[in-house]
Amino acid sequence: MKKRNVAILFGGCSEEYAISLHSAAGVIRALDPERNTLIPIGISRQGDWFLTTADPQRIETDHWHSKQDRRLQLVLSRSGFQLKDQQGNPIEVDVFFPVLHGRNGEDGTLQGMMDLFAIPYVGCGMSASLIAMDKVLSHQLASAAGIAVSQMVVVDRNDPDRSMKEIRQLQLPCFVKPARGGSSIGITRIESWDKLEQALQLALSLDERALVEEAVPGQEIGCSIVEKNGQLILGAVDRIQLNSDFFDYQEKYVDSHAQVECPAILPPALIDQIHDTARTLWAVHQCRSLARIDLFLTPDNKIVFNEINTLPGLTATSRFPRMMERAGMDFSCLLQTLIDQAAKGEHHE
């Protein structure tokens, strides 16, 4: 079998730059070198692409960039694409794997460019990526599909006072968050309205719109989905047992004391209901390739939509690979499935 040339894109112009480095290192470690020739491409915070020889450890500690790295350019045309270094030497790529979290990597911008020029890549397409990143649009879509969502008010950076009356009608505690973003960056849980202004300032420093959203009582649960040969493979449902107010950036990546129960010990009928909800959300968001569906489970077992991650964390210990492993698909097999599907062009929009 001919080896595939797989370009791993990581870094990027995003608040989630550091998280991307960890995911990319996890992907590189797990991919089978007998089946893939890996082409690690680091994207600087300024947006420049570099071909790097850094090993996974140097990537995840942000020491991947050196003077020896070759600056790259992507030459685009309707008849195809070429990746070249600054001397004009071509870099042969069969499929791109954008391990890019957040803005400019997970929000539809990169996906739109790749769709326009028929570039094979792993992950959801432009529309799903854009909608899933925008919590306002995503919640509206989920609600229209009959799935319960939390109460929220949208605040515009140019006229934040216009929404104050509506906000005060919400029930505390609330979460204040950027309308677009991930990894819980810029999110504040408020227990009293005197904390609202500071929380809004933080959220609006990261996006033009912010959300003030009622907290949903209960627990956070998740369901992973991978598409293979036109069929959906659902991973085990997991459940997060928190030791803080919410599953924030610190809990996720720095000093986590949260316990993630995988598979979640829940009644089989409830697991089926969670899976059905995840399938519906996948369909209405027009997802493909992979996604992690995040939900809330209230004390009376009501399922409430939280968000969709079109590029969830991809380290060996991340929730997404763990859920799929419990469903019989180990990390290496999971990644190879995603690459093979993308290389076949079966998901191209």
Side-chain angles (χ1 to χ4, degrees):
M1 180 183 294
K2 181 179 179 291
K3 293 171 70 171
R4 297 195 193 281
N5 297 320
V6 182
I8 310 294
L9 300 179
F10 65 87
C13 311
S14 166
E15 296 86 4
E16 299 177 62
Y17 171 91
I19 301 161
S20 170
L21 303 187
H22 286 281
S23 284
V27 168
I28 291 169
R29 287 189 179 108
L31 278 172
D32 184 355
E34 297 298 317
R35 299 184 63 181
N36 307 280
T37 299
L38 301 187
I39 305 168
I41 298 175
I43 303 177
S44 70
R45 293 180 185 272
Q46 292 72 41
D48 294 318
W49 292 28
F50 295 92
L51 182 65
T52 179
T53 58
D55 60 24
Q57 183 176 0
R58 284 170 55 206
I59 290 173
E60 64 190 349
T61 57
D62 200 12
H63 292 99
W64 62 268
H65 192 17
S66 68
K67 292 181 179 178
Q68 287 72 42
D69 292 344
R70 288 182 282 167
R71 189 185 296 269
L72 299 176
Q73 57 180 342
L74 190 60
V75 181
L76 302 172
S77 71
R78 289 300 297 172
S79 60
F81 71 95
Q82 277 192 316
L83 190 66
K84 297 182 178 182
D85 64 16
Q86 64 264 45
Q87 281 79 41
N89 301 312
I91 312 294
E92 296 296 330
V93 175
D94 296 316
V95 61
F96 284 87
F97 197 146
V99 190
L100 298 164
H101 301 296
R103 294 174 187 272
N104 304 308
E106 194 183 355
D107 61 358
T109 51
L110 182 70
Q111 290 77 11
M113 179 196 74
M114 290 189 167
D115 286 337
L116 182 61
F117 293 101
I119 299 173
Y121 65 95
V122 170
C124 287
M126 182 188 72
S127 57
S129 301
L130 184 154
I131 294 169
M133 180 64 68
D134 190 314
K135 296 177 177 63
V136 179
L137 294 176
S138 189
H139 275 236
Q140 290 171 344
L141 202 57
S143 180
I147 296 169
V149 298
S150 56
Q151 295 296 311
M152 67 168 61
V153 175
V154 183
V155 181
D156 191 285
R157 181 191 288 168
N158 295 321
D159 190 9
D161 295 332
R162 185 166 57 89
S163 306
M164 288 303 125
K165 184 177 179 181
E166 289 180 83
I167 291 173
R168 297 295 179 132
Q169 294 174 359
L170 297 174
Q171 298 294 312
L172 289 168
C174 284
F175 288 100
V176 182
K177 60 183 71 172
R180 294 170 297 179
S183 300
S184 300
I185 295 173
I187 297 181
T188 308
R189 178 185 167 102
I190 60 171
E191 306 278 349
S192 61
W193 293 122
D194 61 349
K195 305 293 185 183
L196 176 63
E197 183 178 355
Q198 183 179 1
L200 279 174
Q201 286 179 354
L202 173 61
L204 291 171
S205 71
L206 299 171
D207 194 22
E208 292 83 4
R209 293 170 301 149
L211 308 179
V212 183
E213 183 178 5
E214 287 185 358
V216 178
Q219 299 170 315
E220 293 189 40
I221 57 175
C223 179
S224 60
I225 302 181
V226 169
E227 190 173 8
K228 182 178 182 180
N229 298 327
Q231 302 296 315
L232 299 186
I233 302 173
L234 278 76
V237 172
D238 74 359
R239 173 165 53 177
I240 300 167
Q241 308 283 356
L242 293 178
N243 290 299
S244 63
D245 287 339
F246 70 104
F247 202 36
D248 61 5
Y249 185 91
Q250 190 80 8
E251 278 279 9
K252 287 178 178 177
Y253 305 110
V254 181
D255 187 24
S256 179
H257 301 288
Q259 301 295 316
V260 180
E261 181 184 76
C262 184
I265 302 172
L266 295 168
L270 184 55
I271 294 290
D272 289 343
Q273 188 180 353
I274 293 166
H275 279 163
D276 287 343
T277 302
R279 288 190 190 94
T280 299
L281 288 163
W282 171 283
V284 299
H285 283 78
Q286 300 180 56
C287 293
R288 70 182 194 201
S289 187
L290 79 161
R292 193 186 74 227
I293 317 294
D294 292 346
L295 307 162
F296 296 110
L297 185 64
T298 67
D300 59 352
N301 286 341
K302 180 181 179 182
I303 298 168
V304 181
F305 176 59
N306 182 9
E307 64 181 2
I308 292 184
N309 283 274
T310 55
L311 187 73
L314 289 175
T315 69
T317 57
S318 295
R319 292 173 62 202
F320 183 86
R322 289 175 63 191
M323 286 189 272
M324 294 310 303
E325 185 175 9
R326 297 300 187 275
M329 183 180 282
D330 67 32
F331 194 23
S332 180
C333 176
L334 161 65
L335 296 174
Q336 197 64 53
T337 296
L338 297 172
I339 289 167
D340 290 346
Q341 295 288 107
K344 292 175 185 175
E346 294 178 4
H347 298 319
H348 186 70
E349 290 188 341

